[in-house]
Amino acid sequence: MTSGRVNPNFRLEDQGIEGVEKVHYNLIEPALVQAAIANSEGTLGKGGAFLVSTGQFTGRSPKDKHVVKTDSVADSIWWENNAEMDPAKFDVLEADMLEHMKSHEYFVQDMVAGADPTCSIRVRLVTELAWHGLFIRHMFRCPERSALDDFLADWTVINCPTFKADAEKHGCRSETVIAMHFDKKRILIGNTEYAGENKKSIFSLLNYLLPEKGIMPMHCSANHAIGNPVDTAVFFGLSGTGKTTLSADPNRTLLGDDEHGWSDRGTFNFEGGCYAKTISLSPEAEPEIYATTEKFGTVIENMVFDPETLDLDFEDTSLTANMRCAYPLDYISNASESGLGGHPKNIIMLTCDAFGVLPPIARLTPSQAMYHFLSGFTSKVAGTERGVTEPEPTFSTCFGAPFMPRRPEVYGNLLREKIDQHGATCWLVNTGWTGGAYGTGSRMPIRATRALLTAALDGSLSEVEFRKDPNFGFEVPVDVPGVAEVLLDPRRTWDDKDAYDTQAAKLVQMFADNFEQYVPYIDDDVKAVAIG
């Protein structure tokens, strides 16, 4: 039994997926919500939001990601970061998953990843859960309904949460598996209901495909000046650094909050929606994102709610601190309709330095930008994990190591080439601690961060006096209107200057130790940054 609009020559059976009991093609949002409720997949919340729990897995499973090692990719995959799978084992996994699917109902969405049609790929996502179909319609870009009549996918993703892999039989690590086969152009996901695996599998795919075309894939948010796409800014950053918050500037047009490409034509969003964290979300701090939690079709993932009133609890982390909402981009009033921007005029690299060493903003040379891009530094703080009693450095290369199939220097070199070609100005912004490390100092004032970013984006920051930082060698502004002068010199914010010097030397050494792995692959300019 089938329903929905689809290319009659591109049904599942035409892809070797035969015998599925019931298939729904390209259902729109109301139909997916109805199906999800009928299948008891979640609860209809206020305003028509859909409230779900993802069960055992409330986040991604990076250790269960595999790339099939075939001759075509054997020499181009970063195997130290990507677990390999034998092609024969993948074939067995695929056969077993397809057999498992015969007794289940499936929801197919034919989508596009990439706002720039010259760089986009067509993706078919086959999901066991109707609400995953709803999530996918938010995360990717929906073709016109008429375009579905002749839609042919470049890649297919099959997501079976009820399928459990056999580690020995299928050549994986556990019952959970995410396996990518570049020759077959197929991704298999099993034994996890966490919807983010759908999104990040496509991001990982684009991270492999786009560099071959000279396109820089970026784990970043992006915006541009209102009415002026030429004035585009991108914001790299790991979780907790403020990537979504700082790019959602009401005085600028939002391109997207997470994944973008940089081609010869400019910047483009991969997605059609946002996937925002909701922990401590408030109507005062982020009114538009907060408002989406009571809009029709927004997926509310792993949030505790009152069973009678359906009120969401934005502080209860008993399910997970990684609670999220997924919604279409047009739910944000200042979002771009096209998802297209110009070449980045400013590149912002966000870090949350819990050591209290880095200044609130610094200007980077292209070589310094590559150094900090490859480093991908932020920090965990005491209490975030069991056993963490002092700040711990986290280095996630390219600000997104789990999604990087190629070696980091591929992305680093491509970024530096584009910076050189288009003259982007690069900034390192610390949203972490000042006046001491975590536990002693205080969080960088958000008002100061916003003032510094505004000055960077409008060009006025480039006109002030700068000094050279003695620890990292980058340039730091000496005096910026609207920002307390003392904040710009981290050492001055510490009561114990000797303690600052000790902490700074410690952090510099952490950077150096981490960067050793890249030294054989980089040129002399970046090596000079690495060795000071």
Side-chain angles (χ1 to χ4, degrees):
M1 178 180 175
T2 63
S3 65
R5 191 160 189 171
V6 64
N7 180 345
N9 299 314
F10 193 59
R11 298 182 182 273
L12 288 189
E13 52 265 34
D14 299 312
Q15 296 183 273
I17 306 171
E18 300 177 342
V20 178
E21 183 176 293
K22 185 184 294 185
V23 184
H24 305 279
Y25 292 96
N26 298 306
L27 298 184
I28 63 173
E29 290 80 358
L32 289 165
V33 170
Q34 286 180 316
I37 292 172
N39 293 342
S40 301
E41 295 177 7
T43 302
L44 191 65
K46 285 187 172 181
F50 195 71
L51 317 180
V52 297
S53 167
T54 61
Q56 177 184 358
F57 298 99
T58 58
R60 293 178 294 101
S61 301
K63 294 182 179 178
D64 293 307
K65 288 180 62 178
H66 300 264
V67 175
V68 178
K69 192 172 187 177
T70 61
D71 291 343
S72 66
V73 300
D75 296 331
S76 53
I77 296 291
W78 182 23
W79 293 112
E80 294 87 349
N81 188 58
N82 294 271
E84 64 182 72
M85 177 178 282
D86 182 85
K89 294 287 189 179
F90 181 92
D91 290 345
V92 176
L93 171 67
E94 182 179 40
D96 288 349
M97 185 175 284
L98 295 183
E99 182 63 30
H100 172 87
M101 291 173 66
K102 291 180 179 179
S103 58
H104 294 267
E105 180 178 19
Y106 278 82
F107 299 84
V108 176
Q109 289 291 328
D110 292 326
M111 307 294 291
V112 174
D116 185 339
T118 68
C119 309
S120 62
I121 62 170
R122 293 164 298 179
V123 184
R124 164 164 283 185
L125 297 108
V126 184
T127 65
E128 194 172 4
L129 294 170
W131 78 263
H132 274 200
L134 182 64
F135 175 89
I136 287 161
R137 286 185 67 83
H138 297 337
M139 286 300 99
F140 301 108
R141 307 184 73 84
C142 298
E144 295 291 334
R145 296 296 288 177
S146 59
L148 297 173
D149 295 338
D150 56 8
F151 185 96
L152 292 172
D154 301 306
W155 274 73
T156 298
V157 179
I158 301 174
N159 191 327
C160 284
T162 59
F163 177 83
K164 295 183 183 297
D166 182 315
E168 183 175 354
K169 182 180 182 183
H170 300 136
C172 51
R173 190 185 71 93
S174 71
E175 292 181 331
T176 303
V177 65
I178 302 99
M180 182 179 295
H181 197 309
F182 281 93
D183 291 358
K184 287 191 170 185
K185 297 185 176 180
R186 186 164 286 188
I187 299 170
L188 306 179
I189 304 172
N191 193 47
T192 173
E193 293 183 29
Y194 182 65
E197 298 290 9
N198 297 292
K199 162 188 162 80
K200 291 304 184 185
S201 68
I202 300 302
F203 183 37
S204 299
L205 171 61
L206 289 168
N207 281 345
Y208 183 84
L209 298 177
L210 294 182
E212 290 184 338
K213 302 177 181 179
I215 300 168
M216 176 66 193
M218 303 178 291
H219 185 210
C220 71
S221 57
N223 63 27
H224 66 70
I226 294 175
N228 184 16
V230 172
D231 185 2
T232 293
V234 299
F235 300 75
F236 289 99
L238 297 167
S239 179
T241 59
K243 180 160 53 80
T244 298
T245 299
L246 293 173
S247 63
D249 184 339
N251 297 312
R252 293 176 66 86
T253 298
L254 179 68
L255 287 178
D257 78 332
D258 199 39
E259 299 165 6
H260 294 79
W262 184 358
S263 73
D264 290 340
R265 291 156 55 95
T267 309
F268 63 96
N269 191 0
F270 288 168
E271 303 179 290
C274 299
Y275 191 32
K277 283 191 172 183
T278 55
I279 183 171
S280 299
L281 189 66
S282 73
E284 295 77 24
E286 296 178 281
E288 291 210 273
I289 297 176
Y290 184 90
T292 69
T293 63
E294 292 187 4
K295 290 191 175 183
F296 180 79
T298 294
V299 174
I300 306 293
E301 198 176 56
N302 296 317
M303 287 191 71
V304 174
F305 60 91
D306 187 297
E308 293 183 6
T309 66
L310 300 176
D311 288 335
L312 300 170
D313 191 329
F314 293 86
E315 304 300 329
D316 190 333
T317 60
S318 57
L319 292 177
T320 179
N322 190 36
M323 57 180 83
R324 291 180 179 265
C325 63
Y327 51 89
L329 200 60
D330 62 14
Y331 278 6
I332 302 298
S333 62
N334 65 325
S336 166
E337 292 184 8
S338 69
L340 301 174
H343 297 290
K345 184 177 177 181
N346 288 279
I347 295 174
I348 315 296
M349 297 185 185
L350 299 167
T351 182
C352 176
D353 173 25
F355 296 84
V357 169
L358 296 174
I361 196 165
R363 186 167 60 190
L364 308 176
T365 66
S367 294
Q368 289 170 338
M370 183 175 178
Y371 177 80
H372 285 277
F373 179 71
L374 290 177
S375 297
F377 168 73
T378 193
S379 48
K380 298 176 184 176
V381 295
T384 57
E385 293 182 4
R386 212 168 30 171
V388 177
T389 57
E390 64 177 48
E392 286 188 0
T394 298
F395 293 95
S396 184
T397 189
C398 308
F399 295 98
F403 325 119
M404 301 298 164
R406 296 180 183 271
R407 282 203 54 85
E409 60 273 8
V410 171
Y411 307 103
N413 285 324
L414 189 52
L415 179 64
R416 190 171 65 162
E417 288 171 10
K418 289 194 174 292
I419 291 171
D420 288 339
Q421 182 180 358
H422 299 287
T425 303
C426 300
W427 307 92
L428 182 70
V429 172
N430 174 26
T431 61
W433 269 256
T434 183
Y438 173 83
T440 302
S442 58
R443 196 74 187 257
M444 195 71 68
I446 185 65
R447 182 175 297 178
T449 301
R450 289 191 184 279
L452 290 167
L453 275 175
T454 297
L457 297 183
D458 69 19
S460 61
L461 189 58
S462 294
E463 304 303 319
V464 306
E465 180 185 353
F466 284 79
R467 65 176 177 85
K468 184 176 181 179
D469 181 83
N471 299 304
F472 287 92
F474 41 50
E475 292 183 315
V476 181
V478 174
D479 186 17
V480 179
V483 178
E485 185 181 340
V486 67
L487 280 178
L488 298 170
D489 187 348
R491 191 173 188 271
R492 289 177 56 195
T493 67
W494 284 53
D495 293 332
D496 186 338
K497 303 300 190 285
D498 290 338
Y500 172 85
D501 292 338
T502 300
Q503 188 84 318
K506 179 180 178 181
L507 183 59
V508 168
Q509 190 59 50
M510 288 176 179
F511 265 85
D513 292 344
N514 171 73
F515 206 79
E516 281 292 325
Q517 61 187 304
Y518 307 122
V519 170
Y521 306 101
I522 58 177
D523 62 24
D524 291 342
D525 289 345
V526 183
K527 285 180 183 177
V529 176
I531 64 176

